[in-house]
Amino acid sequence: DQQVKQNSPSLSVQEGRISILNCDYTNSMFDYFLWYKKYPAEGPTFLISISSIKDKNEDGRFTVFLNKSAKHLSLHIVPSQPGDSAVYFCAARDDYKLSFGAGTTVTVRA
Amino acid sequence: EAGVTQFPSHSVIEKGQTVTLRCDPISGHDNLYWYRRVMGKEIKFLLHFVKESKQDESGMPNNRFLAERTGGTYSTLKVQPAELEDSGVYFCASSQGVYEGQFFGPGTRLTVL
């Protein structure tokens, strides 16, 4: 049973515009949510996170929003840059264990 | 500081053969995790070591998979005998504390023919 879902496998956005990535989850026990970024032939690298007691966390161009009642989170990247082209994974933590979504491939067009 | 390293980066084997993947965590990280991503799907948890002890191996697919962590340093994941469905990318991650951020290695891409 997949507890974290990213329903959009891909996203194409023009450079300078906003990228919005979405993620849904089912497990109410998740206490922390994370976004990882992955380039080809590399492992996932941590991008930004949010505690379940907050609804927003911002770090530079990256903002994560959490809607607990809807069991939904999103990642906003503004403005999008060519170096942002990568696969983005949503992850959720229950105790120490991370559950990941299937990833969204973002392509930033010049 | 060196990151998490994994060896080999790629492995192609025949069904029925044995393969051993290796992970070297970041020095000083007591927690080591194995994950797997199959066919572009989600990254799935396999197991968790604290030092040399297995804390949780609930994600291990079956008894063809054996993980060890000798002396609480590097870890190996052996698949014996390998089946076609074992193909995928195997990631290792490590963290200092159990609730601290996990750092991932580049992965080993396993192809079983």
Side-chain angles (χ1 to χ4, degrees):
Chain A
D1 61 333
Q2 195 174 345
Q3 300 183 69
V4 178
K5 290 186 179 179
Q6 294 175 257
N7 292 318
S8 297
S10 62
L11 172 69
S12 180
V13 64
Q14 194 162 14
E15 181 178 1
R17 307 293 288 267
I18 184 171
S19 294
I20 299 177
L21 292 81
N22 294 301
C23 177
D24 297 292
Y25 63 95
T26 57
N27 186 348
S28 301
M29 298 301 292
F30 289 141
D31 65 346
Y32 223 78
F33 301 89
L34 309 92
W35 285 93
Y36 281 81
K37 178 178 178 180
K38 184 185 175 309
Y39 292 117
E42 294 183 11
T45 55
F46 170 75
L47 188 59
I48 191 170
S49 64
I50 187 168
S51 165
S52 60
I53 62 173
K54 298 196 171 183
D55 55 19
K56 178 182 176 181
N57 187 27
E58 192 171 349
D59 183 2
R61 297 186 298 112
F62 304 92
T63 303
V64 57
F65 296 92
L66 175 63
N67 182 334
K68 279 190 71 175
S69 61
K71 292 191 173 69
H72 177 84
L73 66 155
S74 61
L75 173 68
H76 292 207
I77 307 173
V78 155
S80 299
Q81 299 175 353
D84 296 332
S85 295
V87 180
Y88 290 79
F89 290 96
C90 171
R93 191 183 76 184
D94 177 8
D95 200 2
Y96 55 82
K97 192 182 300 186
L98 293 180
S99 296
F100 286 84
T104 296
T105 300
V106 173
T107 303
V108 180
R109 310 184 311 269
Chain B
E1 179 183 294
V4 178
T5 57
Q6 292 186 245
F7 182 82
S9 57
H10 292 84
S11 181
V12 181
I13 60 172
E14 300 273 335
K15 175 183 170 181
Q17 289 185 322
T18 297
V19 63
T20 300
L21 314 181
R22 173 171 170 144
C23 168
D24 286 80
I26 292 172
S27 177
H29 282 194
D30 287 340
N31 295 272
L32 187 148
Y33 312 81
W34 283 97
Y35 292 86
R36 178 174 75 171
R37 187 183 190 208
V38 174
M39 289 283 292
K41 295 187 177 178
E42 71 272 21
I43 300 171
K44 280 194 173 180
F45 168 85
L46 296 178
L47 86 159
H48 170 218
F49 282 99
V50 176
K51 296 186 181 177
E52 67 276 6
S53 300
K54 289 178 193 172
Q55 291 298 297
D56 181 350
E57 49 184 335
S58 61
M60 295 286 262
N62 50 61
N63 59 10
R64 295 185 293 101
F65 289 74
L66 174 64
E68 294 179 324
R69 191 178 182 193
T70 308
T73 55
Y74 71 91
S75 174
T76 58
L77 180 64
K78 183 193 289 189
V79 185
Q80 179 183 30
E83 298 289 343
L84 299 178
E85 64 265 25
D86 300 333
S87 294
V89 182
Y90 291 76
F91 292 105
C92 174
S94 71
S95 67
Q96 195 157 27
V98 71
Y99 295 113
E100 296 184 38
Q102 296 181 25
F103 294 84
F104 281 76
T108 292
R109 180 174 294 278
L110 175 64
T111 303
V112 183
L113 302 176

